[in-house]
Amino acid sequence: MTSVSAARQFLLNDKLRPLCLVEDELVKEDFRGVEMQDPNCVLVGLAPNSFHYEKLNEAFRLLLRLKENQKTSVQEKVEPRGNETVENESDVSTTNSGKSSDNVQPHLIAIHRATHYRDSDHQLSLGPGGFISLLEQTTGASAHVIGKPSYDFYRAAISSIGIEDPSEVIMVGDDVVGDVQGALDAGLGGAVLVKTGKYVEGDELGEKTGGVFPTMLVDSVVEAVDYICS
């Protein structure tokens, strides 16, 4: 199970038609069968070739249109009755708090929101996280995150390998937010941070994770395996 395969299934299940800020090769190979004409959401992944003004502005404008359309749709569900204004019960259900309990489709979908990654030149490069935050800030949308550090993603991954108790699983990774914080928030039994890949000196100090610390810090995956097996 990967964040990409989970994103594809999410789009198909919810009949979503994305405007993709995803590399063309990934779209062709991993999103076959997903309808993309007349988009009704924005999908963001790692897409260096799409993170330019024209494409980001296209996504920005679509999100604003979708937000306005949703607002209009909600208004149409409100019917006047006497001196009261009530919601059409056939269209909208409410909780005890009076808030709508509808499953509103997300407009902004993130395959993941890593802030950076280790590029082919061994230097750090920007990941999709900053561009997702940009679209959130400028449109008021809240991204629905499919992959790490999503709680649902971790729980689904654990379930897919037949394990019921997440505390029996230990995460090993180089991303202090996606791997360490995400795993511990999902209830995994531990999270080992490896000083390779996207690791940056000081990640283990908890500043990026609001005080969430890795179970152990190691220099290599081999050392992590030795720790788990000991």
Side-chain angles (χ1 to χ4, degrees):
M1 179 180 180
T2 67
S3 55
V4 172
S5 64
R8 179 181 182 275
Q9 196 59 51
F10 180 81
L11 295 170
L12 291 172
N13 289 347
D14 283 36
K15 296 180 173 59
L16 293 171
R17 306 180 302 276
L19 168 66
C20 291
L21 273 66
V22 179
E23 290 297 271
D24 291 340
E25 183 177 342
L26 189 66
V27 172
K28 293 175 183 178
E29 293 182 359
D30 294 292
F31 289 93
R32 294 173 185 168
V34 176
E35 178 61 47
M36 298 184 186
Q37 296 295 321
D38 187 24
N40 59 1
C41 67
V42 173
L43 177 69
V44 185
L46 181 60
N49 293 322
S50 293
F51 295 147
H52 53 79
Y53 180 83
E54 289 77 10
K55 195 68 175 182
L56 287 167
N57 198 46
E58 182 182 2
F60 165 73
R61 290 179 174 181
L62 174 60
L63 288 170
L64 289 182
R65 288 199 304 272
L66 293 172
K67 182 178 180 180
E68 184 60 31
N69 291 344
Q70 185 180 70
K71 181 179 178 181
T72 301
S73 178
V74 169
Q75 289 175 341
E76 290 175 351
K77 292 179 181 178
V78 178
E79 296 180 346
R81 186 181 297 169
N83 294 325
E84 299 181 37
T85 299
V86 299
E87 292 173 323
N88 185 332
E89 294 179 0
S90 66
D91 293 326
V92 179
S93 60
T94 58
T95 63
N96 291 333
S97 65
K99 296 179 181 179
S100 172
S101 60
D102 282 18
N103 292 321
V104 179
Q105 289 181 331
H107 294 156
L108 179 58
I109 302 166
I111 295 177
H112 63 85
R113 61 183 311 158
T115 58
H116 59 277
Y117 67 101
R118 187 71 63 178
D119 215 329
S120 57
D121 61 0
H122 307 296
Q123 299 296 312
L124 292 178
S125 291
L126 283 170
F131 300 98
I132 294 164
S133 296
L134 168 68
L135 291 172
E136 286 180 319
Q137 182 179 356
T138 55
T139 66
S142 294
H144 178 82
V145 182
I146 300 292
K148 298 181 296 184
S150 165
Y151 176 95
D152 291 338
F153 179 76
Y154 272 101
R155 287 306 183 101
I158 293 169
S159 177
S160 71
I161 58 176
I163 296 177
E164 295 183 359
D165 184 359
S167 68
E168 296 179 356
V169 179
I170 294 179
M171 178 67 186
V172 177
D174 60 3
D175 186 333
V176 71
V177 176
D179 296 333
V180 173
Q181 184 176 14
L184 295 177
D185 285 349
L188 273 66
V192 179
L193 181 62
V194 184
K195 297 168 67 174
T196 58
K198 65 176 67 175
Y199 169 81
V200 176
E201 191 70 33
D203 276 352
E204 68 275 13
L205 300 179
E207 295 180 1
K208 297 179 180 178
T209 58
V212 177
F213 302 97
T215 308
M216 188 174 186
L217 179 68
V218 297
D219 291 323
S220 68
V221 173
V222 172
E223 189 177 340
V225 173
D226 289 341
Y227 163 73
I228 295 169
C229 295
S230 62

